[in-house]
Amino acid sequence: MRTLIDFDDAPVIAVPTAAGPRYAVLVEGPQGWGEFSPPPDADDALAARWLTAAMEPSTVGWPDAVRGRVPVDDGARRLSVAAGDVDAAVARIGDLRAGAIEVVLLECRDPVDARSVRHRVDVPIAVDAALLLADPQCADIAILRCGPSGGVRRAMRRAERLDLPALVDFTGTTSIGLAADVALAAALPQLPFACGPVPGWLAEADVVSEARSLIPRDGHLPAAPMPAGPDPVRLQRFAVTDAETVAHWRGLLRRAAAML
């Protein structure tokens, strides 16, 4: 199916954020659009997983939803903590525990560190599902991320293997990518936690029409069988014109495609 996607002319976009531009390549397949937006330092293997996620909606489609909309967290009840230093992470969690934090999203590379933090705090710890596959006892909750997992189906398979409560963390840069995150949350058999949060820049910097932009209403986002396509005017506004940057992202895209 990848032969039906035009990688050479796929538009490269840059969305302004407080931390600098977020880049993405929008890929159009036989049935619609997807978003390829791996981190800038992604190697080809990680980029290939992001491309699989981008191609999924327009080729095989997403699994059927079991709910028509998903709850979205505004960040008030969750805390993101980096666990580069276990003692510092434990202290930060302890300082903010009185604020009724529902769950801590722990960013770390070593399951041993995650396990150490978990045993020293009294709030549920969530880590990326890949870390839990290495040590199923290192956290209480699996964080599912559609893009780096390789799409909705692969993320769901990770959740099934772990058999733990799951939390969906949004990885999309635009509403095209965000629709995949919502599709994952909508298809999970159980959704005990709100998802998100929606990127703060989305209200001012999206490539789909205003009517299709995934801005939460009443604390929820609607699930859809396909992402919206880009609005031509908005797409032009965020299109990258620098030849070197375009070449870099299309090169990464082609290398990722070659690995599929």
Side-chain angles (χ1 to χ4, degrees), residues 23-27 34-38 46-48 50-51 54 249 252-253 256:
Y23 292 95
V25 186
L26 303 180
V27 294
E35 178 192 289
F36 173 74
S37 54
L46 177 57
W50 279 84
L51 181 56
W249 281 96
L252 181 60
L253 183 67

Side-chain angles (χ1 to χ4, degrees), residues 46-221:
L46 177 57
R49 293 200 296 273
W50 279 84
L51 181 56
T52 301
M55 294 171 56
E56 185 179 32
S58 72
T59 53
V60 298
W62 291 319
D64 291 338
V66 298
R67 56 188 63 84
R69 61 179 194 159
V70 301
V72 178
D73 190 282
D74 62 3
R77 301 194 66 194
R78 62 173 62 178
L79 174 68
S80 294
V81 175
D85 179 279
V86 171
D87 290 337
V90 170
R92 176 160 169 74
I93 295 168
D95 289 343
L96 297 177
R97 183 67 183 95
I101 297 298
E102 181 182 37
V103 59
V104 170
L105 280 63
L106 194 66
E107 297 295 339
C108 61
R109 297 179 180 271
D110 190 339
V112 174
D113 289 344
R115 184 190 281 257
S116 297
V117 173
R118 182 192 183 201
H119 287 166
R120 292 173 58 184
V121 300
D122 62 351
V123 60
I125 297 296
V127 299
D128 191 273
L131 204 65
L132 275 161
L133 290 173
D135 179 2
Q137 302 299 316
C138 73
D140 309 284
I141 300 158
I143 302 175
L144 301 179
R145 296 182 168 105
C146 188
S149 295
V152 174
R153 283 177 171 77
R154 292 186 179 186
M156 291 183 69
R157 285 199 293 269
R158 284 187 173 186
E160 290 169 1
R161 288 173 60 187
L162 291 170
D163 193 28
L164 286 172
L167 180 155
V168 177
D169 190 34
F170 290 166
T171 57
T173 296
T174 72
S175 284
I176 295 175
L178 197 63
D181 301 321
V182 175
L184 170 58
L188 288 172
Q190 304 293 329
L191 192 66
F193 299 97
C195 312
V198 169
W201 62 79
L202 200 66
E204 300 295 331
D206 203 353
V207 294
V208 306
S209 68
E210 184 177 355
R212 300 296 302 275
S213 190
L214 291 176
I215 303 299
R217 293 174 175 81
D218 300 324
H220 289 77
L221 285 174

